Coordinates of all heavy atoms in Angstrom, one line a residue:
M1121 N -27.7 -53.0 110.0 CA -26.7 -52.3 110.6 C -26.3 -53.1 111.9 O -27.1 -53.4 112.7 CB -27.2 -50.9 111.0 CG -26.1 -50.0 111.5 SD -26.6 -48.3 111.9 CE -27.7 -47.9 110.6
S1122 N -25.0 -53.3 112.0 CA -24.5 -54.2 113.2 C -24.2 -53.4 114.4 O -24.3 -53.9 115.5 CB -23.3 -55.0 112.7 OG -22.3 -54.1 112.4
G1123 N -23.7 -52.1 114.3 CA -23.3 -51.4 115.5 C -24.3 -50.2 115.7 O -25.1 -49.9 114.9
P1124 N -24.1 -49.5 116.8 CA -24.9 -48.3 117.1 C -24.6 -47.1 116.2 O -23.6 -47.1 115.5 CB -24.6 -48.0 118.5 CG -23.2 -48.5 118.7 CD -23.1 -49.7 117.8
V1125 N -25.5 -46.1 116.2 CA -25.4 -44.9 115.6 C -24.8 -43.9 116.6 O -25.4 -43.8 117.7 CB -26.7 -44.3 115.0 CG1 -26.6 -42.9 114.4 CG2 -27.3 -45.3 114.0
F1126 N -23.7 -43.2 116.3 CA -23.1 -42.2 117.2 C -23.7 -40.8 116.8 O -23.7 -40.4 115.6 CB -21.6 -42.2 117.0 CG -20.9 -41.3 118.0 CD1 -20.6 -41.7 119.2 CD2 -20.7 -39.9 117.6 CE1 -19.9 -40.9 120.1 CE2 -20.1 -39.1 118.5 CZ -19.7 -39.5 119.8
I1127 N -24.2 -40.1 117.8 CA -24.7 -38.7 117.6 C -23.8 -37.7 118.2 O -23.5 -37.8 119.3 CB -26.1 -38.6 118.2 CG1 -27.1 -39.6 117.6 CG2 -26.6 -37.1 117.9 CD1 -28.4 -39.6 118.3
S1128 N -23.3 -36.8 117.3 CA -22.4 -35.7 117.8 C -23.3 -34.4 117.8 O -24.1 -34.2 117.0 CB -21.3 -35.5 116.7 OG -20.5 -34.4 117.1
F1129 N -23.1 -33.7 118.9 CA -23.9 -32.5 119.1 C -23.3 -31.5 120.0 O -22.3 -31.8 120.7 CB -25.3 -32.9 119.7 CG -25.2 -33.5 121.0 CD1 -25.5 -32.7 122.1 CD2 -24.8 -34.8 121.2 CE1 -25.4 -33.2 123.4 CE2 -24.8 -35.3 122.5 CZ -25.1 -34.6 123.6
S1130 N -23.8 -30.3 120.1 CA -23.3 -29.2 121.0 C -24.0 -29.4 122.4 O -25.2 -29.3 122.5 CB -23.7 -27.9 120.4 OG -23.5 -26.9 121.4
R1131 N -23.2 -29.8 123.4 CA -23.7 -29.9 124.7 C -24.2 -28.6 125.3 O -25.1 -28.6 126.2 CB -22.7 -30.5 125.6 CG -22.9 -31.9 126.0 CD -21.7 -32.5 126.5 NE -21.1 -33.6 125.7 CZ -20.8 -33.6 124.5 NH1 -20.9 -32.5 123.8 NH2 -20.3 -34.7 123.9
E1132 N -23.7 -27.5 124.8 CA -24.1 -26.2 125.2 C -25.6 -25.9 124.9 O -26.2 -25.2 125.7 CB -23.2 -25.1 124.6 CG -23.4 -23.7 125.1 CD -22.4 -22.7 124.6 OE1 -21.5 -23.1 123.8 OE2 -22.6 -21.6 124.8
H1133 N -26.0 -26.3 123.8 CA -27.4 -25.9 123.3 C -28.3 -27.1 123.0 O -29.6 -26.9 123.0 CB -27.3 -25.1 122.0 CG -26.5 -23.8 122.2 ND1 -27.0 -22.8 122.9 CD2 -25.3 -23.5 121.8 CE1 -26.1 -21.8 122.9 NE2 -25.0 -22.2 122.2
D1134 N -27.8 -28.2 122.7 CA -28.7 -29.2 122.0 C -29.0 -30.5 122.8 O -29.5 -31.5 122.3 CB -28.0 -29.7 120.7 CG -27.8 -28.5 119.8 OD1 -28.5 -27.5 119.9 OD2 -26.9 -28.6 118.9
V1135 N -28.7 -30.5 124.1 CA -28.8 -31.7 124.9 C -30.3 -32.2 124.9 O -30.5 -33.4 124.7 CB -28.3 -31.5 126.4 CG1 -28.7 -32.7 127.2 CG2 -26.8 -31.3 126.4
S1136 N -31.2 -31.4 125.2 CA -32.6 -31.8 125.3 C -33.1 -32.3 123.9 O -33.8 -33.3 123.8 CB -33.5 -30.7 125.8 OG -33.6 -29.6 124.9
Y1137 N -32.7 -31.7 122.8 CA -33.1 -32.2 121.5 C -32.5 -33.5 121.2 O -33.2 -34.4 120.7 CB -32.7 -31.2 120.4 CG -32.9 -31.7 119.0 CD1 -34.1 -31.7 118.5 CD2 -31.8 -32.3 118.3 CE1 -34.3 -32.3 117.2 CE2 -32.0 -32.8 117.1 CZ -33.3 -32.8 116.5 OH -33.5 -33.4 115.3
V1138 N -31.2 -33.7 121.5 CA -30.6 -35.0 121.2 C -31.2 -36.1 122.1 O -31.3 -37.2 121.6 CB -29.1 -34.9 121.4 CG1 -28.4 -36.2 121.4 CG2 -28.5 -34.0 120.3
R1139 N -31.5 -35.8 123.3 CA -32.2 -36.8 124.2 C -33.5 -37.3 123.5 O -33.8 -38.5 123.5 CB -32.5 -36.3 125.6 CG -31.2 -36.3 126.4 CD -31.5 -35.8 127.8 NE -30.3 -35.7 128.6 CZ -30.1 -34.8 129.5 NH1 -31.1 -33.9 129.8 NH2 -29.0 -34.7 130.1
R1140 N -34.3 -36.4 123.0 CA -35.5 -36.7 122.3 C -35.3 -37.5 121.0 O -35.9 -38.5 120.7 CB -36.4 -35.5 122.0 CG -36.9 -34.8 123.3 CD -38.0 -33.7 123.0 NE -37.6 -32.8 122.0 CZ -36.9 -31.7 122.2 NH1 -36.5 -31.3 123.4 NH2 -36.6 -30.8 121.2
L1141 N -34.3 -37.0 120.3 CA -33.9 -37.7 119.0 C -33.5 -39.1 119.3 O -33.9 -40.1 118.6 CB -32.8 -36.9 118.3 CG -32.2 -37.6 117.1 CD1 -33.2 -37.7 116.0 CD2 -31.0 -36.8 116.6
A1142 N -32.6 -39.3 120.3 CA -32.1 -40.6 120.6 C -33.3 -41.5 121.1 O -33.4 -42.7 120.6 CB -31.1 -40.5 121.8
A1143 N -34.2 -41.0 121.9 CA -35.4 -41.8 122.3 C -36.2 -42.2 121.1 O -36.7 -43.4 121.0 CB -36.2 -41.0 123.3
D1144 N -36.4 -41.3 120.1 CA -37.2 -41.7 118.9 C -36.4 -42.8 118.1 O -37.1 -43.7 117.6 CB -37.4 -40.4 118.1 CG -38.4 -39.5 118.7 OD1 -39.1 -39.9 119.6 OD2 -38.4 -38.3 118.2
L1145 N -35.1 -42.6 117.9 CA -34.4 -43.6 117.2 C -34.3 -45.0 117.9 O -34.5 -46.0 117.2 CB -33.0 -43.1 116.9 CG -32.8 -41.8 116.0 CD1 -31.4 -41.3 116.0 CD2 -33.3 -42.1 114.6
I1146 N -34.2 -45.0 119.2 CA -34.3 -46.2 119.9 C -35.6 -46.9 119.8 O -35.7 -48.1 119.6 CB -33.9 -45.9 121.4 CG1 -32.4 -45.6 121.5 CG2 -34.3 -47.2 122.3 CD1 -32.0 -45.0 122.9
A1147 N -36.7 -46.1 119.8 CA -38.1 -46.6 119.7 C -38.2 -47.2 118.3 O -39.1 -48.1 118.1 CB -39.1 -45.5 119.9
S1148 N -37.5 -46.7 117.3 CA -37.6 -47.3 116.0 C -36.7 -48.5 115.8 O -36.6 -49.1 114.7 CB -37.3 -46.2 114.9 OG -35.9 -45.9 114.9
G1149 N -36.0 -48.9 116.8 CA -35.2 -50.1 116.8 C -33.7 -49.9 116.6 O -32.9 -50.9 116.5
L1150 N -33.2 -48.7 116.6 CA -31.8 -48.4 116.4 C -31.1 -48.4 117.8 O -31.6 -48.0 118.8 CB -31.5 -47.1 115.7 CG -31.9 -47.1 114.3 CD1 -31.8 -45.6 113.7 CD2 -31.1 -48.0 113.4
S1151 N -29.8 -48.8 117.8 CA -28.9 -48.6 118.9 C -28.2 -47.3 118.8 O -27.7 -47.0 117.8 CB -28.0 -49.8 119.0 OG -27.1 -49.6 120.1
I1152 N -28.2 -46.5 119.9 CA -27.7 -45.1 119.8 C -26.5 -45.0 120.9 O -26.6 -45.5 122.0 CB -28.8 -44.1 120.2 CG1 -30.0 -44.3 119.2 CG2 -28.3 -42.7 120.1 CD1 -29.7 -44.1 117.8
V1153 N -25.5 -44.2 120.5 CA -24.5 -43.8 121.4 C -24.3 -42.3 121.3 O -24.2 -41.7 120.2 CB -23.1 -44.4 121.0 CG1 -22.0 -43.9 121.9 CG2 -23.2 -46.0 121.2
Y1154 N -24.3 -41.6 122.4 CA -23.9 -40.2 122.4 C -23.3 -39.8 123.8 O -23.6 -40.5 124.8 CB -25.1 -39.3 122.1 CG -26.2 -39.2 123.1 CD1 -26.3 -38.3 124.1 CD2 -27.3 -40.2 123.0 CE1 -27.4 -38.3 125.0 CE2 -28.3 -40.2 123.9 CZ -28.4 -39.2 124.9 OH -29.4 -39.2 125.8
D1155 N -22.4 -38.8 123.8 CA -21.8 -38.5 125.0 C -22.7 -37.8 126.0 O -23.5 -37.0 125.6 CB -20.6 -37.5 124.7 CG -19.4 -38.2 124.2 OD1 -19.3 -39.4 124.4 OD2 -18.6 -37.6 123.5
T1156 N -22.6 -38.1 127.2 CA -23.4 -37.5 128.3 C -22.5 -36.6 129.1 O -23.0 -35.9 130.0 CB -24.0 -38.5 129.2 OG1 -23.0 -39.4 129.7 CG2 -25.0 -39.4 128.3
Q1157 N -21.2 -36.6 128.9 CA -20.2 -35.8 129.7 C -19.6 -34.7 128.9 O -19.5 -34.9 127.6 CB -19.1 -36.7 130.2 CG -19.6 -37.9 131.1 CD -20.2 -37.4 132.3 OE1 -19.7 -36.6 133.0 NE2 -21.4 -38.0 132.7
P1158 N -19.2 -33.6 129.5 CA -18.5 -32.6 128.7 C -17.2 -33.2 128.0 O -16.6 -34.1 128.6 CB -18.1 -31.6 129.8 CG -19.0 -31.8 130.9 CD -19.3 -33.3 130.9
M1159 N -17.0 -32.7 126.8 CA -15.8 -33.2 126.1 C -14.5 -32.7 126.6 O -14.3 -31.5 126.6 CB -16.0 -32.9 124.6 CG -15.0 -33.5 123.7 SD -15.0 -35.3 123.7 CE -16.6 -35.7 123.0
T1160 N -13.7 -33.5 127.0 CA -12.3 -33.2 127.4 C -11.4 -34.2 126.8 O -11.8 -35.2 126.2 CB -12.1 -33.3 129.0 OG1 -12.3 -34.7 129.3 CG2 -13.1 -32.4 129.7
D1161 N -10.1 -33.9 126.8 CA -9.1 -34.8 126.1 C -9.2 -36.2 126.8 O -9.2 -37.2 126.1 CB -7.7 -34.2 126.2 CG -7.5 -33.1 125.3 OD1 -8.3 -32.9 124.4 OD2 -6.5 -32.3 125.5
G1162 N -9.3 -36.2 128.1 CA -9.4 -37.5 128.8 C -10.6 -38.3 128.5 O -10.6 -39.5 128.3
W1163 N -11.8 -37.6 128.4 CA -13.0 -38.2 128.1 C -13.0 -38.7 126.6 O -13.5 -39.8 126.3 CB -14.2 -37.3 128.3 CG -15.5 -37.9 128.1 CD1 -16.4 -37.7 127.0 CD2 -16.2 -38.8 128.9 NE1 -17.5 -38.4 127.2 CE2 -17.4 -39.2 128.4 CE3 -15.9 -39.4 130.2 CZ2 -18.3 -40.0 128.9 CZ3 -16.8 -40.3 130.7 CH2 -18.0 -40.6 130.1
W1164 N -12.4 -37.9 125.7 CA -12.3 -38.4 124.3 C -11.5 -39.6 124.2 O -11.9 -40.6 123.6 CB -11.7 -37.3 123.5 CG -11.3 -37.7 122.1 CD1 -10.0 -38.0 121.7 CD2 -12.1 -38.1 121.0 NE1 -10.0 -38.5 120.4 CE2 -11.3 -38.5 120.0 CE3 -13.5 -38.0 120.8 CZ2 -11.8 -38.9 118.7 CZ3 -14.0 -38.4 119.6 CH2 -13.1 -38.8 118.5
S1165 N -10.4 -39.7 124.9 CA -9.5 -40.8 124.7 C -9.9 -42.1 125.4 O -9.7 -43.2 124.9 CB -8.0 -40.5 125.1 OG -8.0 -40.1 126.5
T1166 N -10.6 -41.9 126.5 CA -11.1 -43.1 127.3 C -12.5 -43.6 126.9 O -12.7 -44.8 127.1 CB -11.0 -42.8 128.8 OG1 -11.9 -41.8 129.1 CG2 -9.6 -42.5 129.2
Y1167 N -13.3 -42.7 126.4 CA -14.7 -43.2 126.2 C -15.1 -42.9 124.7 O -15.4 -43.8 124.0 CB -15.7 -42.5 127.2 CG -17.1 -42.8 126.9 CD1 -17.6 -44.1 127.3 CD2 -17.9 -42.0 126.2 CE1 -18.9 -44.4 127.0 CE2 -19.3 -42.3 125.9 CZ -19.7 -43.5 126.4 OH -21.0 -43.9 126.1
T1168 N -15.2 -41.7 124.4 CA -15.8 -41.3 123.1 C -15.1 -42.0 121.9 O -15.7 -42.5 121.0 CB -15.7 -39.8 122.9 OG1 -16.4 -39.2 124.0 CG2 -16.4 -39.4 121.6
R1169 N -13.8 -42.0 121.9 CA -13.0 -42.6 120.8 C -13.4 -44.1 120.6 O -13.6 -44.6 119.5 CB -11.5 -42.4 121.0 CG -10.7 -42.8 119.9 CD -9.3 -42.4 120.2 NE -8.4 -42.7 119.0 CZ -7.2 -42.4 118.9 NH1 -6.6 -41.8 120.0 NH2 -6.5 -42.7 117.9
S1170 N -13.4 -44.8 121.7 CA -13.7 -46.2 121.6 C -15.2 -46.5 121.2 O -15.5 -47.4 120.5 CB -13.4 -47.0 122.9 OG -14.2 -46.5 124.0
Q1171 N -16.1 -45.6 121.7 CA -17.5 -45.8 121.4 C -17.7 -45.5 119.9 O -18.4 -46.2 119.2 CB -18.4 -44.8 122.2 CG -18.5 -45.2 123.6 CD -19.1 -46.5 123.8 OE1 -20.2 -46.8 123.2 NE2 -18.6 -47.3 124.7
L1172 N -17.1 -44.4 119.4 CA -17.2 -44.1 118.0 C -16.6 -45.2 117.1 O -17.2 -45.5 116.0 CB -16.5 -42.8 117.7 CG -16.6 -42.1 116.4 CD1 -18.1 -41.9 116.0 CD2 -15.9 -40.8 116.4
A1173 N -15.5 -45.8 117.5 CA -14.9 -46.8 116.7 C -15.8 -48.0 116.5 O -15.7 -48.7 115.5 CB -13.6 -47.3 117.4
G1174 N -16.7 -48.3 117.5 CA -17.6 -49.4 117.4 C -18.9 -49.1 116.7 O -19.8 -50.0 116.6
C1175 N -19.1 -47.9 116.2 CA -20.4 -47.6 115.6 C -20.4 -47.9 114.1 O -19.4 -47.9 113.4 CB -20.6 -46.1 115.8 SG -21.0 -45.6 117.5
S1176 N -21.6 -48.1 113.6 CA -21.8 -48.4 112.2 C -22.0 -47.1 111.4 O -21.9 -47.0 110.2 CB -23.0 -49.3 112.0 OG -22.7 -50.6 112.5
A1177 N -22.5 -46.1 112.1 CA -22.9 -44.8 111.5 C -22.7 -43.7 112.4 O -22.7 -43.9 113.7 CB -24.3 -44.9 110.9
G1178 N -22.6 -42.5 111.9 CA -22.5 -41.3 112.7 C -23.5 -40.2 112.2 O -23.8 -40.2 111.0
S1179 N -24.0 -39.4 113.1 CA -24.9 -38.3 112.8 C -24.6 -37.1 113.6 O -24.2 -37.2 114.7 CB -26.3 -38.8 113.1 OG -27.2 -37.7 112.9
G1180 N -24.7 -36.0 112.9 CA -24.5 -34.7 113.7 C -25.9 -34.1 113.8 O -26.7 -34.1 112.9
A1181 N -26.1 -33.5 115.0 CA -27.3 -32.7 115.3 C -26.9 -31.3 115.1 O -26.3 -30.7 116.0 CB -27.9 -33.1 116.7
F1182 N -27.3 -30.7 114.0 CA -26.9 -29.3 113.7 C -28.1 -28.4 113.9 O -28.9 -28.3 112.9 CB -26.3 -29.2 112.3 CG -25.0 -30.0 112.2 CD1 -25.1 -31.2 111.4 CD2 -23.9 -29.7 112.8 CE1 -24.0 -32.0 111.3 CE2 -22.7 -30.5 112.7 CZ -22.8 -31.6 111.9
L1183 N -28.2 -27.8 115.0 CA -29.3 -26.9 115.2 C -28.8 -25.4 115.2 O -27.6 -25.2 115.4 CB -30.0 -27.2 116.6 CG -30.5 -28.6 116.8 CD1 -30.9 -28.8 118.2 CD2 -31.6 -28.9 115.8
P1184 N -29.7 -24.5 114.9 CA -29.2 -23.1 114.7 C -28.4 -22.6 115.9 O -27.4 -21.9 115.8 CB -30.5 -22.3 114.6 CG -31.4 -23.2 113.9 CD -31.1 -24.6 114.6
L1185 N -28.8 -22.8 117.2 CA -28.0 -22.4 118.3 C -26.7 -23.1 118.5 O -25.8 -22.5 119.1 CB -28.9 -22.5 119.6 CG -30.1 -21.5 119.7 CD1 -30.9 -21.8 120.9 CD2 -29.6 -20.1 119.7
G1186 N -26.6 -24.3 118.1 CA -25.4 -25.1 118.2 C -24.4 -24.8 117.1 O -23.3 -25.3 117.2
C1187 N -24.8 -24.2 116.1 CA -23.9 -23.9 114.9 C -23.4 -22.5 115.0 O -24.0 -21.6 114.6 CB -24.7 -24.2 113.6 SG -23.7 -24.0 112.2
R1188 N -22.1 -22.4 115.4 CA -21.5 -21.1 115.6 C -21.3 -20.4 114.2 O -21.2 -19.2 114.2 CB -20.2 -21.2 116.3 CG -20.4 -21.7 117.7 CD -19.1 -21.8 118.4 NE -19.2 -22.5 119.7 CZ -19.6 -22.0 120.8 NH1 -19.8 -20.7 120.9 NH2 -19.7 -22.7 121.9
S1189 N -21.1 -21.1 113.2 CA -20.8 -20.5 111.9 C -22.1 -20.3 111.0 O -22.0 -19.9 109.9 CB -19.8 -21.4 111.1 OG -20.4 -22.6 110.8
C1190 N -23.3 -20.5 111.6 CA -24.5 -20.3 110.8 C -25.0 -18.9 110.8 O -26.1 -18.7 110.2 CB -25.6 -21.3 111.4 SG -25.2 -23.0 111.3
G1191 N -24.3 -18.0 111.3 CA -24.7 -16.6 111.2 C -25.1 -15.9 112.4 O -25.6 -14.9 112.5

């Protein structure tokens, strides 16, 4: 894999889990990208969009509290 893995997640509920997940993936040799700032139109267009474009893969962290449609 030539580029990093982008992790998408709910900042409202999943930040601590994603930090641990990213640390584990980095320890296994992967390069990771995930947003550390709240998502706004400006942040999306200036940072997230360009980071995502340079990634080789994407992953979603779907946890019960972060999933509004899970019931």
Side-chain angles (χ1 to χ4, degrees):
M1121 187 178 319
S1122 61
V1125 174
F1126 184 89
I1127 302 173
S1128 178
F1129 64 101
S1130 167
R1131 253 163 243 57
E1132 185 177 356
H1133 300 289
D1134 303 334
V1135 173
S1136 62
Y1137 171 78
V1138 169
R1139 285 183 183 146
R1140 291 190 314 269
L1141 173 63
D1144 289 344
L1145 294 173
I1146 290 167
S1148 72
L1150 292 173
S1151 176
I1152 304 299
V1153 174
Y1154 65 96
D1155 284 334
T1156 57
Q1157 302 296 315
M1159 187 60 65
T1160 63
D1161 288 342
W1163 186 252
W1164 166 257
S1165 63
T1166 60
Y1167 177 78
T1168 306
R1169 190 174 183 178
S1170 64
Q1171 291 296 316
L1172 188 55
C1175 290
S1176 294
S1179 173
F1182 301 105
L1183 302 175
L1185 289 174
C1187 182
R1188 296 180 193 274
S1189 64
C1190 294

